[in-house]
Amino acid sequence: MGTVTVVGLGPADELLLTTQTRVALEAAPRCFLRTRMHPAARVLPDAVAFDDEYDKGESFEAVYEAISERLILESAEGDLLYAVPGSPLILERTVELLRDAAASGRAAVEILPAMSFLDVAWARLGIDPVTDGVRLVDGQDFAFSAAGRTGPLLVAHCHDRRVLSDVKLSVEDGPESVVVLQRLGLPDEAVFEVAWDDLDREVEPDHLTSLWIPELDTPVAAEFVRFEELVRELRERCPWDRVQTHGSLRKHLLEETYEALEVLDARSALSDSEVEADIDAHLVEELGDLLYQIFFHARLGAERGSFTVADVARSVHDKLVARHPHVFGDGAADGVRGPEDADDMARRWEEIKRDEKGRASAMDGVPMTLPALMLAAKVQERSESAGLEVGRVGRAGVEDVRGALAAAGRTPSPERVGEILFETVALARWLDIDPETALRGASLRFMEHVRSAER
């Protein structure tokens, strides 16, 4: 097994190469380059470059894995030198993979220190990164790498407009402007300020472009960003995910909803002190499955250029604020004090929804795909919000159900049975019992009765 000696070509041309690197270049029996897309690469005109891997790889990670594997195979033939842009120890994934291979005994690796673009950047910006607490992040993975950070940030690998656009869109409320650093240490070096909103429009990026963000007011949410990235990758690489549409996902959304409801029912049957950890763990799992469906539909929207998961979150955020004037409005209430207040809030909620959507009738917007019992309850709620009572309550409500039963016995019909069920829903609501849950519970108890009888 030969040794892979890794050197860095520095941030600019050959003027910033270290003496140690120059000596290693002259003594190397075989030389390899990660890419010729670097000003100092010209000192190795006969080296084998891995630029072909960029054309074949489906992702940067796949490219870097292929390069490291080729180097490991080449090292079986003897010692070699591997040159990378900048410093081997700064945002160089191929070197990370080589070090992992060395740790597992698959390769022998020696890394020589080199000057990085960071040294020039600190000089141009006039800052001490340690004193100022600067974090270095990769532009290709900005949303996740910068998650939870409010700055200051130096963003590397901003090589094209797509990366700049991703950086901009990852932040809900960006700074007024950022500093663009390009080709540091070269004759055509450029350091200039640009408005945040114009970042992906006015900047012509190249492979030597980075960004300085002194402060971010709104940190990115790490777990949600990581989850969105997973959904995007599955959509691109998984054969099943790749062929799905909004229509084909409909049944999965319904199934995941019912599975989450099943766990909620099991948990609701117990007091908080009786709930075991595995029930809540199961609830977390099912809510996660439901969340995946939401992110998946948002990914389909993003592919069309129609909307993103950020638009989904923003929409419901703004809607909830608008529909809670008693919380966020000028006349914000001190809080809901009892059932009467809660009922009043529910009526106001429906009124606000009608005004928002310009509905002419309380029945407009009722989801017709609801299960029948839930549909009946929703229709009755909407009717009452419009000031129209449904049936009678108390003993009179019981008599209505009895009367409907008697009428159905005399002249049975789907309409008569429907009236019985509708009146029963009204009675259940008056008793503050959810009819859907009540009927489901009765069905489950009867199932257990049958099993017991069978035994």
Side-chain angles (χ1 to χ4, degrees):
M1 182 188 297
T3 298
V4 179
T5 300
V6 185
V7 301
L9 297 176
D13 56 23
E14 61 272 26
L15 292 176
L16 296 181
L17 289 176
T18 67
T19 301
Q20 186 183 38
T21 295
R22 289 181 183 275
V23 172
L25 294 176
E26 293 173 1
R30 295 180 297 155
C31 295
F32 295 83
L33 278 168
R34 177 162 69 77
T35 176
R36 289 199 176 277
M37 293 285 291
H38 189 74
R42 59 194 177 203
V43 301
L44 292 170
D46 299 324
V48 175
F50 293 122
D51 291 289
D52 59 314
E53 294 294 345
Y54 289 88
D55 298 326
K56 295 184 295 185
E58 294 183 355
S59 65
F60 281 111
E61 183 64 19
V63 170
Y64 300 147
E65 289 176 356
I67 292 174
S68 63
E69 288 301 319
R70 284 177 62 178
L71 286 167
I72 292 170
L73 289 175
E74 290 287 347
S75 70
E77 304 297 324
D79 295 346
L80 62 88
L81 180 141
Y82 174 49
V84 299
S87 167
L89 300 174
I90 304 296
L91 295 178
E92 187 54 57
R93 180 60 176 154
T94 57
V95 178
E96 290 181 23
L97 294 170
L98 287 173
R99 294 175 74 179
D100 291 343
S104 62
R106 296 182 60 227
V109 179
E110 180 184 6
I111 301 174
L112 304 184
M115 187 175 181
S116 79
F117 81 100
L118 296 175
D119 301 289
V120 187
W122 308 142
R124 299 298 183 266
L125 294 169
I127 63 172
D128 180 338
V130 177
T131 301
D132 293 345
V134 180
R135 179 177 175 84
L136 176 64
V137 298
D138 190 337
Q140 298 175 93
D141 190 28
F142 178 83
F144 179 64
S145 299
R149 302 290 173 175
T150 56
L153 305 174
L154 185 64
V155 188
H157 293 167
C158 300
H159 55 85
D160 61 27
R161 291 186 185 275
R162 178 192 62 79
V163 173
L164 295 178
S165 180
D166 287 346
V167 169
K168 186 177 79 171
L169 295 176
S170 295
V171 181
E172 180 70 23
D173 185 19
E176 290 186 5
S177 63
V178 294
V179 176
V180 179
L181 305 100
Q182 293 186 302
R183 301 173 295 280
L184 296 179
L186 292 172
D188 60 344
E189 172 185 299
V191 179
F192 58 93
E193 196 169 326
V194 65
W196 180 262
D197 292 339
D198 297 330
L199 183 58
D200 54 351
R201 292 194 292 264
E202 292 190 359
V203 178
E204 190 64 46
D206 58 26
H207 62 289
L208 297 176
T209 297
S210 54
L211 300 176
W212 168 245
I213 305 176
E215 188 68 34
L216 281 181
D217 292 332
T218 307
V220 185
E223 294 303 325
F224 284 99
V225 170
R226 191 162 68 120
F227 189 49
E228 184 182 15
E229 178 62 20
L230 172 65
V231 175
R232 183 198 63 78
E233 186 171 359
L234 289 175
R235 174 67 173 167
E236 291 179 358
R237 301 178 62 183
C238 174
W240 186 88
D241 290 69
R242 197 178 296 153
V243 299
Q244 299 308 308
T245 65
H246 287 298
S248 67
L249 289 172
R250 183 184 184 278
K251 63 179 182 181
H252 300 290
L253 176 61
L254 189 61
E255 288 172 4
E256 300 297 356
T257 301
Y258 277 118
E259 288 178 9
L261 289 174
E262 185 175 6
V263 183
L264 285 175
D265 289 343
R267 196 189 190 288
S268 299
L270 304 171
S271 65
D272 286 341
S273 61
E274 295 174 320
V275 173
E276 297 179 358
D278 59 339
I279 294 182
D280 275 345
H282 193 188
L283 180 58
V284 168
E285 177 187 354
E286 296 302 338
L287 291 176
D289 292 341
L290 192 56
L291 185 65
Y292 176 62
Q293 294 298 315
I294 295 170
F295 269 69
F296 205 145
H297 282 282
R299 167 50 45 186
L300 297 181
E303 290 173 2
R304 295 196 307 274
S306 177
F307 64 91
T308 67
V309 71
D311 296 313
V312 174
R314 185 182 303 109
S315 172
V316 69
H317 171 276
D318 294 347
K319 179 171 67 176
L320 289 172
V321 170
R323 292 183 184 177
H324 287 79
H326 54 289
V327 177
F328 302 106
D330 293 335
D334 294 334
V336 176
R337 290 173 294 278
E340 298 80 8
D341 288 344
D343 292 341
D344 182 56
M345 292 304 119
R347 284 191 291 272
R348 290 175 61 184
W349 175 278
E350 291 298 334
E351 292 171 3
I352 293 171
K353 286 172 64 176
R354 288 183 63 178
D355 293 341
E356 274 182 4
K357 300 181 180 297
R359 291 170 176 166
S361 168
M363 296 297 108
D364 291 345
V366 173
M368 301 309 295
T369 52
L370 287 174
L373 283 179
M374 293 179 68
L375 178 63
K378 175 63 70 175
V379 166
Q380 292 177 11
E381 290 170 5
R382 289 286 188 88
S383 174
E384 290 170 2
S385 71
L388 302 174
E389 294 299 327
V390 179
R392 293 179 292 173
V393 297
R395 174 56 59 182
V398 174
E399 293 302 324
D400 283 344
V401 174
R402 287 176 175 170
L405 283 169
R410 292 191 299 270
T411 55
S413 70
E415 290 77 12
R416 292 289 191 188
V417 173
E419 290 171 3
I420 294 171
L421 293 172
F422 195 79
E423 293 292 347
T424 305
V425 168
L427 179 60
R429 291 182 57 249
W430 178 75
L431 296 172
D432 199 23
I433 296 172
D434 175 49
E436 185 79 19
T437 302
L439 182 57
R440 178 176 293 274
S443 299
L444 293 176
R445 289 191 297 275
F446 186 74
M447 289 170 65
E448 186 56 37
H449 169 72
V450 171
R451 290 191 180 101
S452 178
E454 289 172 336
R455 287 193 296 270

